[in-house]
Amino acid sequence: MTSSASGTIHPRERLLNIAGKLFYANGIHTVGVEQLVREAGVTRATFYRHFGGKEGLVIAYLQERDARVKRSVEAILRAHRGRDALLEIVAMIADSILRPEFRGCGFLNAAAEYPDPRHHVRRCVAEHRDWFRGVLRDVARDAGHPDPDRAARALMVLRDGAMAAGYLDDQHEVARTLREAAESILDA
């Protein structure tokens, strides 16, 4: 986070933090600019100067989520290879499902609110998903899977299902099933 000399969080970061919490908890379209500026303690002018509008903030919110996931995955890949790396990525997903505030995948939630695949938000979601699928493919290949593309597609579907089921069903059961299913894909 960027801080000013006085130690307070920079207005742009405050807006991103508040947007992240509100968008994830309530949905993007239900959160208005007035609520964002009020809860971030900034003016509308500050909001528009940093993001140009709500869509700019939505894109920044998704880019921030993307960067967090990438940092986590990169840390896993520095420490693990092959099967171990894949199981650690699955464990990362399972751990996210077990968080008390878990409300599904922020990317899938955003995609559900923006149905046009050509929209900037949907393109941002697609870029993240393409990257993640590529990571899964590379790790499956390193694990010696005979068809890493197919494994990556199956793992992506499994991940998406776990993100939805983790919000709707027993989180512990979903996390356990996710791990078991990922192992089955690796052992195929």
Side-chain angles (χ1 to χ4, degrees):
M1 281 184 204
T2 307
S3 298
S4 68
S6 65
T8 60
I9 299 173
H10 189 275
R12 183 181 193 284
E13 297 303 316
R14 282 200 316 266
L15 280 161
L16 266 175
N17 290 340
I18 291 297
K21 290 174 187 164
L22 293 175
F23 290 166
Y24 186 72
N26 303 315
I28 295 167
H29 290 316
T30 64
V31 178
V33 171
E34 284 304 318
Q35 182 180 11
L36 290 163
V37 297
R38 182 178 63 250
E39 293 199 26
V42 300
T43 64
R44 285 178 76 83
T46 297
F47 170 82
Y48 287 108
R49 181 174 64 247
H50 287 291
F51 299 104
K54 186 174 173 186
E55 187 176 304
L57 179 59
V58 173
I59 297 295
Y61 153 73
L62 291 171
Q63 289 171 337
E64 177 63 29
R65 289 187 79 83
D66 175 68
R68 273 198 319 263
V69 173
K70 285 179 177 175
R71 284 191 300 270
S72 296
V73 168
E74 288 165 2
I76 289 169
L77 296 179
R78 280 192 302 273
H80 303 280
R81 288 284 174 246
R83 182 183 182 89
D84 290 340
L86 188 57
L87 293 176
E88 285 297 319
I89 291 170
V90 169
M92 175 193 77
I93 296 165
D95 289 347
S96 73
I97 291 169
L98 295 172
R99 290 188 336 258
E101 71 278 4
F102 183 74
R103 197 185 159 290
C105 171
F107 292 99
L108 295 177
N109 295 347
E113 292 194 55
Y114 291 86
D116 182 356
R118 296 168 303 198
H119 193 280
H120 296 300
V121 169
R122 283 292 295 275
R123 287 198 311 252
C124 188
V125 170
E127 288 170 10
H128 173 78
R129 291 176 59 76
D130 289 345
W131 165 82
F132 195 69
R133 191 177 301 104
V135 167
L136 294 173
R137 181 194 59 242
D138 294 347
V139 174
R141 181 182 309 115
D142 290 347
H145 195 281
D147 190 348
D149 288 325
R150 184 169 179 241
R153 288 191 309 273
L155 289 164
M156 197 70 176
V157 168
L158 179 62
R159 176 232 174 255
D160 290 349
M163 294 304 248
Y167 179 58
L168 300 171
D169 299 327
D170 179 88
Q171 293 169 304
H172 294 281
E173 183 67 25
V174 170
R176 185 178 62 72
T177 303
L178 171 64
R179 289 181 189 112
E180 290 170 358
E183 287 178 357
S184 295
I185 290 170
L186 282 176
D187 294 338

